[in-house]
């Protein structure tokens, strides 16, 4: 009997040594959770035994329990590295479309050859789908899906509207609009430019030139003329009522009809201000498809949308006695965007930024928690799977309820305390030695009995 007790002690000490050694070996493993060997005594009894004199039967290993306390965070320079600050596990799957989920606290993710987010084992990070505003459309593990980072964002959108807000200096000298020449700065007072896009996403520079003409009799209002050019080619607002242009007939009145080829000049829109410098309107306020043509050639190039027109929105400009200043310059077109950055918010929202200025919400990181974390089954690669003892996985969003927040550009380190493990190692070694000594003494006693004559 005493031999068995000593052997059980040696076995328990060996289990304790193995557990401690495994903890020490994984002291630098990202997301690793230390284990603790838990033991129970062996005690046999029956209705006919004397409990006061019964000796225990040794020791057995009750459980090697995982300790899921929080590990410290290590900052990195990779935005796809994620650490959970609080409760929850990342959810991963081994294959696309698979619902065989595993759970991990190791957030070292990267983009694979197919642009999916995966961990070092090649398992796909599972996420909740989101709408265009970044709101989750479903919070269930059955609807989670791997997230793919697109290299490009959307298709090109041609520019249809251009917004300009500025102050035109009422003290500027007056000029003759008929003498306007975009290559001669002395023929216009001010200018500003904005990038616009054609239907193929090709950028073009639209430049607006402002000329303050001589004013006639006092009427309580004053005018400015705006001329336009795309990529240096002037845009003629021919045929627009009230537009300014060169006097080709000699009657002292600017031409308002004809084409660029016959009129010999260019037309621009008229901006009107009242006696307090407030904007009252412009005529015309649109550049038509025909007007984007110069001598019959489309300045936007071959293959572009031949119906493109530009709405010129002067958003409450002013005419004050102060310096020329552009306070707003906008347009609604976009080109094809190339991926420039990926960010992960505290709530797990994964957003991609592109070179065309757009930011696209892609998905939201799915988190899972369990009623009994110590009941999870280890499957290697710092991952666990659900079991009967752990209960079913409960899904949720980061930074809500009992789920922790996500810290981007950080990794959760192993929660192993090396000092404590070294002390435990010494203790386990002493236990092993003591039980070995017990076994040795038992052997000596038996040898003594056998030598009795």
């Amino acid at each position: 009997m005493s031999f068995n007790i000593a052997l059980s002690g040696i076995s328990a000490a060996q289990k304790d040594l193995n557990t401690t050694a495994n903890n020490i070996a994984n002291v630098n493993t990202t997301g690793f959770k230390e284990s603790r060997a838990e033991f129970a005594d062996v005690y046999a009894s029956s209705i006919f035994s004397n409990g006061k004199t019964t000796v225990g039967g040794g020791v057995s290993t009750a459980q090697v329990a995982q300790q899921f306390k929080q590990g410290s965070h290590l900052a990195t320079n990779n935005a796809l590295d994620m650490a959970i600050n609080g409760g929850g596990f990342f959810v991963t799957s081994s294959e696309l479309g698979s619902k065989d989920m595993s759970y991990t606290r190791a957030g070292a993710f990267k983009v694979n050859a197919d642009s999916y987010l995966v961990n070092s084992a090649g398992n796909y990070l599972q996420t909740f789908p989101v709408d265009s505003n970044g709101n989750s459309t479903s919070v269930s593990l059955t609807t989670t899906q791997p997230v793919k980072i697109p290299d490009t964002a959307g298709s090109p959108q041609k520019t249809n509207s251009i917004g300009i807000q500025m102050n035109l200096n009422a003290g500027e000298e007056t000029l003759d609009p008929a003498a306007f020449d975009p290559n001669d700065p002395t023929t216009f007072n001010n200018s500003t430019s904005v990038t616009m896009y054609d239907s193929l996403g090709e950028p073009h520079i639209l430049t607006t030139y402002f000329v303050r003409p001589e004013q006639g009799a006092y009427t309580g209002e004053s005018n400015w003329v705006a001329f336009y050019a795309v990529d240096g080619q002037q845009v003629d607002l021919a045929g627009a009522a009230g537009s300014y242009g060169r006097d080709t007939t000699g009657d002292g009145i600017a031409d308002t009809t004809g084409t660029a080829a016959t009129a010999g000049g260019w037309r621009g829109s008229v901006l009107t201000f009242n006696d307090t410098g407030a904007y009252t309107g412009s005529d015309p306020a649109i550049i038509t498809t025909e007007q984007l043509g110069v001598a019959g050639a489309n300045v936007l190039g071959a293959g572009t949308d031949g119906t493109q027109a530009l709405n010129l929105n002067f958003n409450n400009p002013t005419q004050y006695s102060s310096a020329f200043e552009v306070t707003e310059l906008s347009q609604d077109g976009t080109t094809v965007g190339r991926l420039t950055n990926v960010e992960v918010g505290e709530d797990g929202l994964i957003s991609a930024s592109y070179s065309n200025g757009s930011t696209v919400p892609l998905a939201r990181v799915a988190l899972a928690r369990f009623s009994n974390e110590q009941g999870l089954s280890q499957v290697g690669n710092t991952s666990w799977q659900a079991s009967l003892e752990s209960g079913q996985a409960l899904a949720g969003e980061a930074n809500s309820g009992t789920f922790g927040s996500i810290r981007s550009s950080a990794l959760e380190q192993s929660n192993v305390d090396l000092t404590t493990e070294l002390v435990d190692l010494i203790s386990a070694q002493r236990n092993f030695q003591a039980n070995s000594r017990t076994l040795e003494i038992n052997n000596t006693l038996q040898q003594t009995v056998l030598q009795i004559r």
Side-chain angles (χ1 to χ4, degrees), residues 8 31 33 77 92 103 109 133 139 144 194 208 229 238 260 262 278 293 422 427:
S8 70
K33 299 302 177 184
N77 293 321
T92 63
Y103 308 92
F109 296 103
N133 296 319
V139 185
T144 58
V194 63
T208 305
T262 60
L422 291 175
S427 176

Side-chain angles (χ1 to χ4, degrees), residues 196 230 235-236 287-294 297-300 308-310:
M196 55 166 286
V230 176
V235 177
D236 182 24
I287 300 178
T288 65
T289 305
E290 292 78 11
Q291 292 160 354
L292 284 174
V294 177
N298 192 327
V299 298
L300 300 184
Q308 183 173 359
L310 302 176

Side-chain angles (χ1 to χ4, degrees), residues 166-234:
M166 72 284 175
N167 177 70
L168 298 171
N169 189 355
E172 289 276 6
E173 65 174 323
T174 59
L175 300 171
D176 180 8
F180 168 70
D181 182 353
N183 298 315
D184 184 359
T186 63
T187 64
F188 56 89
N189 299 94
N190 308 105
S191 65
T192 185
S193 298
V194 63
T195 300
M196 55 166 286
Y197 298 94
D198 61 26
S199 59
L200 301 180
E202 185 70 21
H204 302 275
I205 303 299
L206 173 68
T207 304
T208 305
Y209 303 89
F210 298 100
V211 178
R212 185 171 186 242
E214 293 185 12
Q215 308 295 330
Y218 176 73
T219 60
E221 68 176 25
S222 58
N223 299 327
W224 283 73
V225 183
F227 294 102
Y228 309 96
V230 176
D231 293 340
Q233 300 187 61
Q234 296 181 48

Side-chain angles (χ1 to χ4, degrees), residues 128-130 147-150 342 349-352 354 360-364:
F128 299 127
V130 296
V147 57
K148 189 173 185 178
I149 309 296
V342 177
L349 181 63
I350 304 174
S351 302
Y354 296 88
V360 181
L362 302 177
R364 192 180 299 274

Side-chain angles (χ1 to χ4, degrees), residues 80-97:
L80 297 181
D81 287 339
M82 291 176 262
I84 302 174
N85 186 24
F89 294 83
F90 295 111
V91 184
T92 63
S93 65
S94 58
E95 297 179 357
L96 292 173

